[in-house]
Every structure is written in structure tokens, then in C-alpha cells.
Amino acid sequence: MNYANGLGNVQRGDLDTAGGKAVGLGGLIQAGLPVPPGFVLTTAAYSDFVAENNLGQAIQELAALPPDASPEDYEHASALIRTLFSKGAMPSGIQAELEAAYQHLGGDIAVSVRSSATAEDLAVASFAGQQETYLNVRGPEALSKAVIDCWASLWTARAMAYRARAGIRPDDVRLAVVIQQMVEADAAGVMFTANPANGRRDQTVISAAWGLGEAVVSGAVTTDDLVVDTATGKVLSRQTADKELMTVLSANGTAEEKVAEARRRAPVLDDAAAAELARHGQRTVDHFDVPQDIEWARADGQFFLLQSRPITALPEPAADVPTEWPIPYPKGLYFRASIVEQMPDPLSPLFADLIDGSVSRSISALMNDALGQHSLSEGDVRFPTINGYAYYYYRTWPMLRMTARTVPAMRALFGGEAHMGVKGWRDYSHPRYERIIKDWSATPPAELPGERLLAGAQALLDAGTVYYTAVQSIIPLADMSELAFRAFYKTVRHHGDPPAQAFLLGFDSEPIRAEKSLYDLAGWARSDPSLVSALLERPTAELAECLRAGSAPAGVDDALWQEWRFTFQEHLALYGHAVYNLDFATPVPADDPSAQLETVKFYLRGQGTDPHERQRQLTERREELTRQVASRLGPRRRALFFRLLKWAQETAPVREDALADVGLAWPLLRRMLLELGRRLVASSVIAAPDDVFWLRFPELQSAVEFGLAETVSGVALAGASRPVRADAVEERRMLWRGQAKATAPQMLPQKAWMEKAFGSMMPAGPQHQAGDVIKGAGASSGRVTAPARVLRGPEDFGLMQPGEVLVARMTTPAWTPLFAMASAVVTDVGGPLSHSSIVAREYGIPAVLGTGVATQRLAAGPEVTVDGDAGTVTIAAATGPSGAASSVDTLNPGYEGKLP
């Protein structure tokens, strides 16, 4: 049998026989890159060694550990398996080919012996460092022993645990061994052909140290770190380390020795060498078509590539995180508050262009109606973006003028004038919004010409902005009503009485109705076991596609599925417009109902509580408390108690209903823009329909005017190898990802007097909190200890596990299904009277809001203690695994603490 094969002969299809490392090296040789000569001892040699020494059954029995096996279990099994290998004898046929191939390399030379597993160096999992490497091996006898030891290292405890986590069965792996001539390196390291920190494919990252590279790979020595522009070879950044130790060859393998004083702080690679190495890296990418993780060495001024494998888990490319916040307009103040709370992330370019004028017009119109004509002039209020983040901009003097005219504003607020307040919202703003949507719904987007699609998108966005401006007049009324009731209740509250919030729970609102609808959908599904099985066992993405396409999941009766699908679509028709984020680039539930399906699954598993029963209990408790308090008050105080209570109870649900309908136009608005996107794909303007959100408005307008967005235009841009705006779209997405990592200041300019004057009014707390205790506003009572789960948006919702602490920049009514799973809620933005606090109280879970820093500080998912009374989030010293059981101590009847 042919056990040994030269590395230059290994092809991409030889993974099963040569393993991942040998396939990578073979590719490097075929691409003409410098690789030390060598050969691979194939997996057939491993299999025959195991068979001839009768090790197979024993290995499988020892390696078949249960899912909950401990590290000690893996160590014990590994020790037993490796003992079996050490007692085995090398079969004569394998030994003969091994010695012949070794002699062909030169005989009696130093070689390296490295693993090349069939489940190694893959695009989905690198398995880096899971098996052993042996260096400076010399002579046939030492080589034979090193090969057996390398085979045995397939069963190290860390390798077994790694494969178990990756779902790879013990009987699915075999090991080939790569033997190469030893490079007596004076310098070595690792090179990534894409930047793993920011995903940039145009940057090469190099780590370099003196001596051999094994210590670099294992992290045992400090390294110089360089970032190189791949296209130009320019060194973009360099960090030169104090390199105290290096690994060198020794008589018995390798050894560590101290670096000479003169070389400790000297750079290992100069700019020219770094550029040369980066060029080698780019050639590997050209050959393999994917970014590579490469081990390299240098000897006598020549570079050698020792290994190349795909980079796993590489993030999408992101630009540098902004650190400066330049203001576009002088003589004014910038705030991230009010409508901006619904825009926690950087804005997509198209939304940013359209929302600026839309918000400015609606605010100016409202203020001029409420405060008198010419209260605001053009340019007094703007809605610019800074590093992609939206800000309200007010010219200084007009802002002071508005502040001085508070009395007429309050009169308009309470009187329903200028479409303000509850009456203005109910009688004018909401019906007007619905009417505009109905008018634009008359013709399907696919039948509209491009100009009408663009005009419709603008009209719907303007309608939504005007509506939100009206909603902003309801929020202070709801806040004032609750604060007034709290203040009065404080004067009549006895020891042992519940907090004031108990009198405001149990009322219907749109988010609660949506929750009850999902609970009822789960109850409906329970009528058929096959439907329950499909909903619980099928991936959520697959179920969402079945809902979209109308095809029943396997094993479910089609008529039954169509009936349940119709009911689910009715739910989406009523509640699918709830926005996670006002930026229309973010899908709404009507586009992607994954979060709603996860909630249905949650209820089908018997988790959470019946929202109908919870609401009934809260109502009974509220009414009983009302009777108790009223019975001990005199006539005048009782009348005032009922009047203030009635005001608060009537206004709070209206706030939730009004906020929930902000995105009423968004499903149609998104369909119009995506229809434009589909037509621009056909015209070779953009690569995908949702790239339309990353165009600037003038670009989209020009494309429409040029006839590139017509139903059957026949017009397409020719002469380019890819869509003409594809590069610009990719660059803007990359810029957005970098901006999204920034923490936007709440106020600009960043001056001490600004913080002193307006800091207490802002929806988020200080953004520079250190220590293990994060402070915010206690918004819902109770105390919980559980793992934190930071969610950036709907794309992360599938990560949420029941019993975890929901951590987000902010929440809108669309986030409400997650409250059923959460043990507590923590946000960067919000206060005791915000949506998050109201829903958290309804669910009976603690909430700490407006921390300013929670999503940054808790990104790693530590165990935290959320104290809704103290307004603190305490990070535990030792964290448990995500999804671990939570400790709950709350006043709430809603959260049961059930875990999967």
C-alpha cells in the first residue's frame, strides 16, 4: 500500500487521506509559494496501525463520553487511549515506507512532525493546536516514535472536547502526519490575510518573534504585531514588544533561551520584510479564494510558509471605530433623546438622508402650531448624523425661545390643540396616518412606476414622522399623570402597602394584546401533535420560510398548516408593523417573524405564564388595593385619589398603543423600497435588493429619473464587471460596522456645562462607569441573579435563552415577546416611565434602565445581579455558563423562573 505521498502531489480532494494540513501545504506548493520539502503519511497508515494493534474498539468505547462529561473525564479517557498507542508496534509495511520517504528528504536530517487530521484546518473549524507537534526529530527510530505519539495526540483531552463541541463523532476522525525538513528559523510567527479584529480583507496582520514559531502559536512568547495594507504593502501600525524569550533548536528537540539584550526591543521585521510576507499571504488567498491563517518562518533571509488554513469566525469587515465627534453646525446644541431613542444604532445612508428633512419639517410645523407661527425658522431644528448616529440639533437662541414659551405649549398639550395630547392623537393624528397608508396601499408596489415608488416611500416616512411627533406629546402626559399619582399615593401609603405601580398594572395595550395573540397561537397548535412537533423541532428559519412560501413542514397535514398559517398571518397583519428600530433598513416582524415563532415555541414548551391569567390576577389585585386605600381616606382625599388614579390609568395604556403604531407604515414602506431595490439589481446598479438602503438619496433619485427602476425598463448599465454601486455599498456597510462599535455621546459639544445643565434630563446615565456595579434607574421592583444576554437587535433574538437577563441599548414594543423569556431587563437608554419599565412591571420582572454602558460592559455574558429597587446591576466575580439557572427574588407573579 502507498502510505507516503509527497506534499506537492496532495490535491484539494485528498482531505480524507491526507488531512487538512497536508491539503493546505499542497495548495501552497502548487501556487509556487516557498514551502519546506516534505511528505505526508496518510490516514491509511493510522487506520492500519490501529487495526494491527487491535485498538479500534477500545478507543471508541473510551472516547464515547456523555454530553455532560467533565474535563476530568476527558483527561482520564485520553490517558488510557494514549497508553494504548505507546504500547503499539509500528507495522513493517508502514515503517518501510516511512524510512524510504525520510531518506528521500536527505536522510538523517532534522524534521518536524505535525498532525494533519481529517477534521482539521477546515473553513468551519480550524482545530488549531488540538494535536501535538514534534520538532527537531532526527533519525528513523526517533521519527517512528514521533509519528506514533502524533497519532496518539488525536486523543488529547482538549482535542476530544473540541470535537464533541463541534458535533464530530469519535469514529469520524483519522489522522495523517506531515513530515517536513526542519527550518532553523531566526524568526517566525503567524500571519492573517484578513484582520481578525475588524474583518477587513484588505489588511494583513502579522505576529513575529525571534527563533522558532511554535512558541508564537502557543502564546508562550511576546511578539511584535503589525498591520499591513495588503494592496500597497504599507505598514499601517506596528507594536514592537520586549521579547525576553525565544525558542531555539536543542539536542533533544527545542528549548527556550533569553533573547540578547540588543535584540529584545528591536523589530523582528522591517517594513520591506513585512510587505514581502504580506505579498506571500495575498498569493495564498488568490489560490484558496478565502482568507488564510498562515504560520511562517524565516531562515537566512528567506521566508517559508509552514501551514495555511482558512480563518474561522472572521467578522464582517468594519472600519475603524470613531473617536472624534465633529459637529456639522456651529452655535447649537446636539442631543440623543426623544425620537433618537428609537434609533440606537448608526443610520443606514438612505434613512439618514430622508429622515433629516422629515423630522425637521414635522417638529417645526408642530411647534409653530403650538407656540405660534414663526416660532421656529428654517434651520433652527435639524436632524443630522455624526459618525452615523442621529442627533437633534437646536440653534441656541431658538431653543431658549421655545423654553420660555412653555405655558402655551402645555395649554396645547392638554387641550388637544395642534393635534397634540391624547385627544389630538385619537381624533386626528392616528386616523390621518391610517388614511395615508390606505391611500398608498391601493396599488401593489410591483405595479407602480419607479417615481411613484420613491414618492410613496417619502410620503409614508413623512407620515410616520408626523405621527411620531404627535406621539411625543402623549408621552409627557403619561409621565405627568403617573408622577402625580405617585406623589399623592406617597402621602397616603401605609407600611406594607405595595408600590404605586401596582395600581397601574393589568390594563390592555397593543404589546400585551400581541403577547396574548402569540400565546393563543401556541394553544391552537397544541390541538395537533404533528404541528407541535414541527414547530418545536424544525429550525425557526425553516418555519419562517414555510410561512412565507405557504408550504407545510414535513409531517404536517397541509390543510391544518394552512389554517394555522392563516391565523399567524392575521397576527402579523395586526402587530407585524412594530419596529425594533425606526431605521427602515431593519426588518419588521411582518418581514421576518422569527422572534414571534420563538415565542410560540417558548409557550409550546410550557415555559412562561398564561398572559390572560396574569392579567386577570393583576386586575383583581389592583381593584382590591384600590378598595383598601379608598376605604381609609376621607371624602376629599378619596375624590382626589380616584381622579389622579383615573388619569394615570387612562393615559398609560394610550402611550403604549401610540408607540406601538409608530411603524404602521413600515411594512408597506419597506416593500416599496425593496421593489426599487429589485429593479436596480436588474439594472446592474446594486447587487442585492436590500442594498437599496445603503444608497444615498441623490443616487436613488438619479437612478429613478434615469429610468433604471421601471417595471419593464429594459435599461441596464453595461460595461462593468459588477453592479456600479456595489463597491460603494460595501464600503458604507463596512463604515457602519465600525460606527456601531462606538458609544455615541448623549450631548454635543462634550462640555462640562452641558452635562451640568442637561445631563439629568437625558435618557441614559454616565457612559464611563467603572467597577463591578453599574448604576441606572430602578424601573421595576425585584432582584434577580442570572446570566446576561446582550442583544443588539432582532438578528440576535434567537440567542436569548429563558431565564437570562435581557440587555439592550433600548427596547420598543416589538421587543415585548422577549420579556416573557427574560428574568430581568437592563438597558442603556430609558427611565422609570419608559416602555421598558411599563412592560417589565406588567411581567413582574426587575428592570434597571438608562445605565448608559450595560451593552458594552456586559457583552461577554457574565452572571449579574439586577436589583430593580436599588437601580444597580452587579457583575459577579465568577460567571457561570449562559443559560444557567437564575436566582429570582421578586414581587412579581409573572416570572416563574422556568428554564429549559
Side-chain angles (χ1 to χ4, degrees), residues 650-812:
E650 288 180 348
T651 311
V654 172
R655 168 177 53 189
E656 292 302 289
D657 286 341
L659 281 171
D661 277 352
V662 167
L664 204 59
W666 262 233
L668 178 58
L669 170 57
R670 281 180 48 81
R671 287 200 299 274
M672 286 181 161
L673 290 173
L674 288 170
E675 177 62 29
L676 283 171
R678 278 186 282 273
R679 298 180 190 181
L680 294 181
V681 170
S683 300
S684 298
V685 177
I686 53 179
D690 63 354
D691 285 349
V692 70
F693 302 121
W694 299 90
L695 295 176
R696 307 295 333 192
F697 177 68
E699 295 170 340
L700 179 58
Q701 189 175 38
S702 295
V704 170
E705 291 174 352
F706 194 63
L708 297 173
E710 296 311 309
T711 312
V712 186
S713 66
V715 179
L717 298 175
S721 59
R722 53 189 271 129
V724 294
R725 302 310 300 164
D727 289 341
V729 165
E730 287 184 10
E731 187 173 323
R732 290 166 191 167
R733 287 182 185 270
M734 185 173 71
L735 178 64
W736 186 94
R737 295 184 195 105
Q739 293 170 336
K741 297 177 182 179
T743 300
Q746 295 187 84
M747 298 172 288
L748 292 171
Q750 293 177 285
K751 303 289 186 181
W753 68 265
M754 282 277 287
E755 181 64 36
K756 186 175 182 180
F758 301 106
S760 62
M761 306 177 192
M762 299 307 293
Q767 294 175 307
H768 303 288
Q769 297 193 51
D772 292 336
V773 178
I774 301 171
K775 295 180 180 179
S780 182
S781 297
R783 192 170 185 272
V784 161
T785 298
R789 174 68 68 182
V790 175
L791 302 179
R792 302 288 178 181
E795 67 278 6
D796 293 340
F797 283 6
L799 302 175
M800 184 76 185
Q801 298 297 313
E804 291 180 328
V805 174
L806 168 60
V807 184
R809 286 190 173 181
M810 60 92 208
T811 69
T812 67

Side-chain angles (χ1 to χ4, degrees), residues 10 50 81 125 148 156 202 228 334 341 364 374 376 413 428 471 574 624 716 742 817 866:
V10 178
V50 169
I81 293 173
I148 293 174
T156 61
D202 58 348
V228 180
Y334 296 76
E341 294 177 43
S364 296
H374 310 301
L376 289 176
L413 191 66
Y428 178 80
V471 171
L574 288 171
E624 177 59 28
V866 180

Side-chain angles (χ1 to χ4, degrees), residues 406-751:
T406 303
V407 173
M410 295 302 293
R411 186 165 52 245
L413 191 66
F414 282 94
E417 300 172 17
H419 323 309
M420 296 176 74
V422 174
K423 187 176 186 301
W425 168 78
R426 183 178 290 121
D427 295 345
Y428 178 80
S429 299
H430 197 277
R432 175 184 179 274
Y433 193 22
E434 289 181 310
R435 187 171 59 254
I436 292 172
I437 297 169
K438 182 179 178 182
D439 290 346
W440 280 103
S441 300
T443 305
E447 299 176 11
L448 289 172
E451 287 187 1
R452 291 293 291 165
L453 285 172
L454 185 56
Q458 291 177 276
L460 291 170
L461 179 65
D462 283 347
T465 305
V466 170
Y467 175 80
Y468 191 92
T469 304
V471 171
Q472 285 179 290
S473 70
I474 294 176
I475 294 172
L477 285 176
D479 292 351
M480 284 188 286
S481 68
E482 183 171 336
L483 289 172
F485 174 72
R486 284 187 180 195
F488 175 80
Y489 179 66
K490 190 175 180 180
T491 67
V492 300
R493 183 181 181 185
H494 288 184
H495 179 73
D497 282 350
Q501 66 192 48
F503 293 86
L504 306 177
L505 301 178
F507 290 97
D508 239 356
S509 65
E510 188 158 316
I512 300 302
R513 290 190 290 274
E515 179 205 5
K516 291 190 290 188
S517 174
L518 291 173
Y519 182 85
D520 293 342
L521 275 164
W524 195 103
R526 287 194 186 95
S527 64
D528 186 271
S530 67
L531 183 54
V532 172
S533 296
L535 289 171
L536 289 179
E537 295 171 8
R538 298 287 178 180
T540 300
E542 180 183 328
L543 293 172
E545 178 58 25
C546 289
L547 286 169
R548 188 196 64 78
S551 55
V556 178
D557 177 73
D558 185 68
L560 177 70
W561 174 254
Q562 297 305 332
E563 189 177 353
W564 192 85
R565 175 176 175 262
F566 177 79
T567 308
F568 191 90
Q569 288 178 325
E570 283 187 322
H571 169 89
L572 293 179
L574 288 171
Y575 309 112
H577 59 268
V579 294
Y580 303 107
N581 178 333
L582 270 179
D583 190 336
F584 50 49
T586 303
V588 293
D591 302 309
D592 180 4
S594 297
Q596 289 65 36
L597 287 169
E598 287 290 347
T599 303
V600 170
K601 290 184 175 187
F602 174 73
Y603 286 131
L604 281 175
R605 289 192 291 263
Q607 297 166 323
T609 57
D610 178 348
H612 300 281
E613 178 61 19
R614 184 191 69 227
Q615 192 173 31
R616 185 190 66 77
Q617 291 179 6
L618 289 172
T619 301
E620 287 183 357
R621 185 184 185 218
R622 182 189 73 228
E623 292 174 350
E624 177 59 28
L625 290 171
T626 302
R627 285 192 292 269
Q628 290 176 6
V629 173
S631 66
R632 64 183 188 232
L633 299 178
R636 289 185 178 180
R637 302 186 88 191
R638 186 185 307 123
L640 182 57
F641 169 74
F642 278 123
R643 189 166 69 185
L644 292 174
L645 180 59
K646 182 174 183 290
W647 184 28
Q649 289 178 340
E650 288 180 348
T651 311
V654 172
R655 168 177 53 189
E656 292 302 289
D657 286 341
L659 281 171
D661 277 352
V662 167
L664 204 59
W666 262 233
L668 178 58
L669 170 57
R670 281 180 48 81
R671 287 200 299 274
M672 286 181 161
L673 290 173
L674 288 170
E675 177 62 29
L676 283 171
R678 278 186 282 273
R679 298 180 190 181
L680 294 181
V681 170
S683 300
S684 298
V685 177
I686 53 179
D690 63 354
D691 285 349
V692 70
F693 302 121
W694 299 90
L695 295 176
R696 307 295 333 192
F697 177 68
E699 295 170 340
L700 179 58
Q701 189 175 38
S702 295
V704 170
E705 291 174 352
F706 194 63
L708 297 173
E710 296 311 309
T711 312
V712 186
S713 66
V715 179
L717 298 175
S721 59
R722 53 189 271 129
V724 294
R725 302 310 300 164
D727 289 341
V729 165
E730 287 184 10
E731 187 173 323
R732 290 166 191 167
R733 287 182 185 270
M734 185 173 71
L735 178 64
W736 186 94
R737 295 184 195 105
Q739 293 170 336
K741 297 177 182 179
T743 300
Q746 295 187 84
M747 298 172 288
L748 292 171
Q750 293 177 285
K751 303 289 186 181

Side-chain angles (χ1 to χ4, degrees), residues 123-125 196 310-316:
V124 292
I311 301 176
T312 58
L314 187 66
E316 290 295 319

